[in-house]
Amino acid sequence: MHHPEHNPWKVTSEDEIYNNPWIQLTHYEVINPSGNPGIYGKVHFKNRAIGVLPLDGELNTYLVGQYRFTIDDYSWEMPEGGGPLNEDPLDAAKRELLEETGLKAQEWTWLCHMHLSNSVSDEYGVVYLARGLQQFEAEPEETEQLVIRKLPFAEAYQMVVEGKITDSMTVAAILRVQLMINNGEL
């Protein structure tokens, strides 16, 4: 199937609507790919999303529970956070794992990268698997009221299957690790 190599959208004007240390919202007047005028809103993220799925030698994992303001609901997810765009994502992953769970890992495996909501934002995420875990003291940020739950990976996988975990990076990481288990890679 042929796809265009050039951007078919033409921007006729852009206005910054909102800007803070984490995101920028821009309103665009555009000519869409079919040649008609339209509008588009884009949320630009100033940090990279980072996710870490810890997995110990007995195939237990650690989930972080917290109330998420944006969805007005409680969420179970792997340790996640943001890393500056100019920082090595692995360094950010190590920091997030320690901050949220108190864990340090000896082995790190890249699992995937993903665009988290590409219809309205440029948020980009990188996800790692952390193995060879050692427990230290957690250092959560002041905005985080976290509950840490250690559970068998199979139970976390079942939570994804049953729709009890809806965080996109966590769903992707758990499904990817389940494939690795199925393929005898873990």
Side-chain angles (χ1 to χ4, degrees):
M1 176 168 192
H2 178 71
H3 59 84
E5 306 246 340
H6 70 283
N7 182 355
W9 293 84
K10 289 190 177 174
V11 174
T12 58
S13 73
E14 64 183 83
D15 293 308
E16 182 181 291
I17 303 300
Y18 179 77
N19 196 347
N20 72 26
W22 303 278
I23 63 171
Q24 175 185 357
L25 175 60
T26 304
H27 172 83
Y28 295 93
E29 298 286 334
V30 298
I31 303 298
N32 67 29
S34 58
N36 296 314
I39 62 171
Y40 219 99
K42 175 182 169 183
V43 180
H44 165 66
F45 279 77
K46 298 179 181 180
N47 289 293
R48 179 184 297 116
I50 300 293
V52 180
L53 188 69
L55 194 65
D56 70 16
E58 290 77 45
L59 294 185
N60 293 302
T61 192
Y62 296 76
L63 296 179
V64 176
Q66 64 182 309
Y67 200 89
R68 287 291 192 177
F69 180 87
T70 51
I71 62 171
D72 195 21
D73 204 0
Y74 202 81
S75 178
W76 285 103
E77 51 205 54
M78 68 184 160
E80 295 176 346
L85 297 175
N86 62 355
E87 179 183 29
D88 180 342
L90 182 56
D91 290 340
K94 290 176 180 180
R95 182 183 61 251
E96 285 301 327
L97 181 63
L98 181 62
E99 280 179 9
E100 294 194 358
T101 66
L103 293 170
K104 289 185 180 180
Q106 295 173 344
E107 302 169 38
W108 290 88
T109 304
W110 173 88
L111 288 179
C112 65
H113 61 269
M114 53 196 300
H115 289 98
L116 301 179
S117 184
N118 63 9
S119 64
V120 294
S121 84
D122 63 2
E123 188 174 23
Y124 179 78
V126 181
V127 182
Y128 293 94
L129 173 65
R131 305 288 316 265
L133 306 176
Q134 295 177 295
Q135 187 69 60
F136 294 87
E137 192 68 31
E139 305 165 1
E141 295 178 11
E142 67 176 22
T143 59
E144 298 174 320
Q145 288 187 324
L146 307 178
V147 174
I148 309 302
R149 181 174 170 209
K150 179 181 177 181
L151 68 161
F153 176 81
E155 187 177 332
Y157 174 73
Q158 196 59 40
M159 290 173 72
V160 167
V161 170
E162 294 171 1
K164 294 178 181 174
I165 295 176
T166 60
D167 173 73
S168 62
M169 288 201 313
T170 304
V171 170
I174 288 174
L175 293 178
R176 174 83 162 88
V177 168
Q178 185 63 54
L179 283 173
M180 292 170 79
I181 291 169
N182 293 354
N183 293 334
E185 298 171 44
L186 289 178

